[in-house]
């Protein structure tokens, strides 16, 4: 019950700062937060002011919730997220998804920067996530289930909503933006994978790998939110090319997709 109280305190606080009532949520990953700057009539709330929100420390992330309008839709966007590798609990990582649901959000766009394992993919491309593999040996729903928030054993067969994926693909086609589709594997990080781990993850059936998204998607499924997942492929995964990985490159490449990413998201918003 404590969780319900915390969700309602955070929600009440946010609603006291804006007259807008968001129906779309966005979690903007490394280097992708610039999209939130394009929201109109925006209210910006630093995470550290919101009751029960943790603070994100990853470079490339601001720490702000932005509520505003885009393409006639009211959006609540997270500029920066909480990562498991920063030491937050999965409750803290996913708390904002609970708050989005309580705010009245119905669909949530969850984005990330990730490494490409599928060798037909290229850095700088965007991928619509079709499914995921949870490699972290952890799950945000472990613990007593609060039936007011969702069912004990949620179904993940439609974790990435088919209708939203179709809309994204259609908009990408209309805009001439090639979109890949594939499976995202969650690696806790913060160290990147080894070449042997990437070979293992490929055999397991993943096309990409990254350090986020899966916990939020599981909680979104629990909350019966519709999810669209978009990955920005910032690099080929470790060992595919004969070169080391670094975070600066991840941020740089994510920044380079800003124009096509923003155009795609705006196009999708028009259709949902
Ligand atoms: N591995 C894990 N996470 C990542 C990567 C990667 O190659 N690139 C961006 N985030």
């Amino acid at each position: 019950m404590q969780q319900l109280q915390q969700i309602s305190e955070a929600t009440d606080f946010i609603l006291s700062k804006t007259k807008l009532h968001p129906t779309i949520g966005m979690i903007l990953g490394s280097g992708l937060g610039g999209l939130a700057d394009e929201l109109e009539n925006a209210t910006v709330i630093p995470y550290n002011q919101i009751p029960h929100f943790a603070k994100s420390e990853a470079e490339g992330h601001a720490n702000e919730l932005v509520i505003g309008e885009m393409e006639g839709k009211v959006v609540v966007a997270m500029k920066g997220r909480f990562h498991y590798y920063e030491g937050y609990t999965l409750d803290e990582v996913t708390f904002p998804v609970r708050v989005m649901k309580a705010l009245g959000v119905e669909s949530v766009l969850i984005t990330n920067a990730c490494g490409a394992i599928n060798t037909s993919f290229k850095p700088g491309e965007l991928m619509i996530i079709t499914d995921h593999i949870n490699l972290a040996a952890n799950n945000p729903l472990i613990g007593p289930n609060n039936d007011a928030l969702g069912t004990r054993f949620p179904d993940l067969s439609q974790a990435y909503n088919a209708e939203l994926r179709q809309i994204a693909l259609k908009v990408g086609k209309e805009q001439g933006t090639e979109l890949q589709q594939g499976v995202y594997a969650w690696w806790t990080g913060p160290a990147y994978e080894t070449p042997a781990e990437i070979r293992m993850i490929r055999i397991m059936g993943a096309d990409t790998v990254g350090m986020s998204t899966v916990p939020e998607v599981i909680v979104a499924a629990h909350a019966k939110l519709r999810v669209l997942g978009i990955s920005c492929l910032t690099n080929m995964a470790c060992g595919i090319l004969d070169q080391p990985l670094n975070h600066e490159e991840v941020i740089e490449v994510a920044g380079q997709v800003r124009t096509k990413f923003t155009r795609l998201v705006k196009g999708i918003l028009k259709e949902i």
Side-chain angles (χ1 to χ4, degrees), residues 238-251:
C238 185
I240 293 178
L241 304 175
D242 189 17
Q243 61 191 44
L245 307 188
N246 68 76
H247 186 62
E248 289 67 37
E249 182 192 2
V250 168
I251 299 299

Side-chain angles (χ1 to χ4, degrees), residues 161-176:
N161 183 269
E163 192 192 340
L164 294 180
R165 281 191 274 138
Q166 285 314 315
I167 290 172
L169 293 173
K170 175 171 135 327
V171 171
K173 199 166 182 189
E174 285 165 4
Q175 295 181 346

Side-chain angles (χ1 to χ4, degrees), residues 113-115 192-193 209-211 234-235 237 245 250:
C114 68
Y192 290 113
E193 308 73 27
V209 61
M211 303 179 194
T234 53
N235 54 283
L245 307 188
V250 168

